[in-house]
Amino acid sequence: MAGWETELDELMRTRGSALVRYAYMLSGDRALAEDLVQDALVKVYSRLRRPGRGGVGVSAGSRAHDLDSPFTNIEGYVRRAVLTIYLDGYRKRQRWSGIKHLLADDASTRGADQAASARVDVMTALAKLGARERACVVLRYFEDMTVPQIADALGTAQGTVKRYLSDATKNLQEILRPDDFRPAEGRAAR
């Protein structure tokens, strides 16, 4: 067994339940906690590559760790990875809860015609945005890029990207809002 495998086995045997308890305290769900620990272990150990021995994408001057040498404080790295993965998921759920009301109706009862209609509505709404706003929205929500990645791709500052996303979200919410939720003065008399 390689050194890293022994180290991983030892970590899980001695501290595995503590790591799962830590993840449970964050998530409140046992199954999710186990998944968080598993994902964190994969994340930590996949980044610890062997430089110079065929490690993919690892340059000689990188901070990669040789998996055959002892690693100090591996539990700390795993705990940090658990927290990072949990927070990333939490942010995605929060973002989704902020925009899911823009969907016309329940996805389980929607037919193909309604899905196509919703797609056309979104494309029409995107066309009403400015070019930079539209680019930021597409890169963020359709290409799943981060704000720094979008800033690099567009050659702008991260604050500018955040502003475009904020403005675009407000505009899209107004454009895609169902007539039932529009203010009374915007409705035609019946």
Side-chain angles (χ1 to χ4, degrees):
M1 192 181 285
W4 70 271
E5 291 172 329
T6 306
E7 186 177 83
L8 177 60
D9 183 54
E10 177 72 16
L11 174 68
M12 289 312 296
R13 195 169 27 78
T14 60
R15 301 297 299 160
S17 60
L19 289 169
V20 172
R21 283 193 305 269
Y22 171 69
Y24 179 78
M25 292 299 294
L26 290 171
S27 66
D29 180 347
R30 174 75 180 188
L32 180 57
E34 291 170 353
D35 287 345
L36 286 170
V37 171
Q38 179 70 29
D39 290 346
L41 289 169
V42 169
K43 184 176 183 178
V44 168
Y45 277 95
S46 68
R47 294 203 177 178
L48 304 176
R49 300 197 191 325
R50 295 183 192 130
R53 292 192 222 158
V56 179
V58 178
S59 63
S62 74
R63 297 186 303 168
H65 178 74
D66 183 354
L67 286 174
D68 292 331
S69 66
F71 194 70
T72 57
N73 195 21
I74 190 69
E75 183 181 355
Y77 281 95
V78 173
R79 283 179 179 266
R80 179 64 186 174
V82 165
L83 178 62
T84 301
I85 293 167
Y86 171 74
L87 289 176
D88 288 347
Y90 177 78
R91 289 180 190 123
K92 284 180 183 177
R93 287 187 302 276
Q94 288 298 105
R95 194 171 339 144
W96 172 245
S97 68
I99 62 172
K100 71 180 178 184
H101 69 279
L102 297 175
L103 290 175
D105 35 43
D106 185 20
S108 63
T109 61
R110 291 173 49 183
D113 60 332
Q114 290 173 324
S117 175
R119 210 171 284 124
V120 169
D121 290 345
V122 169
M123 293 304 294
T124 302
L126 283 173
K128 292 180 181 179
L129 297 177
R132 290 286 185 163
E133 287 180 356
R134 184 172 45 250
C136 288
V137 167
V138 169
L139 293 174
R140 180 70 185 106
Y141 297 108
F142 293 92
E143 295 296 322
D144 203 28
M145 293 173 72
T146 63
V147 170
Q149 290 171 331
I150 297 169
D152 288 343
L154 297 179
T156 61
Q158 291 182 28
T160 304
V161 171
K162 290 177 185 177
R163 181 63 186 181
Y164 283 139
L165 288 171
S166 175
D167 291 347
T169 301
K170 288 177 188 171
N171 290 336
L172 288 172
Q173 285 176 340
E174 183 59 34
I175 295 167
L176 294 172
R177 185 184 314 179
D179 289 334
D180 296 345
F181 295 107
R182 294 194 187 275
E185 61 270 8
R187 290 190 200 160
R190 293 186 179 181

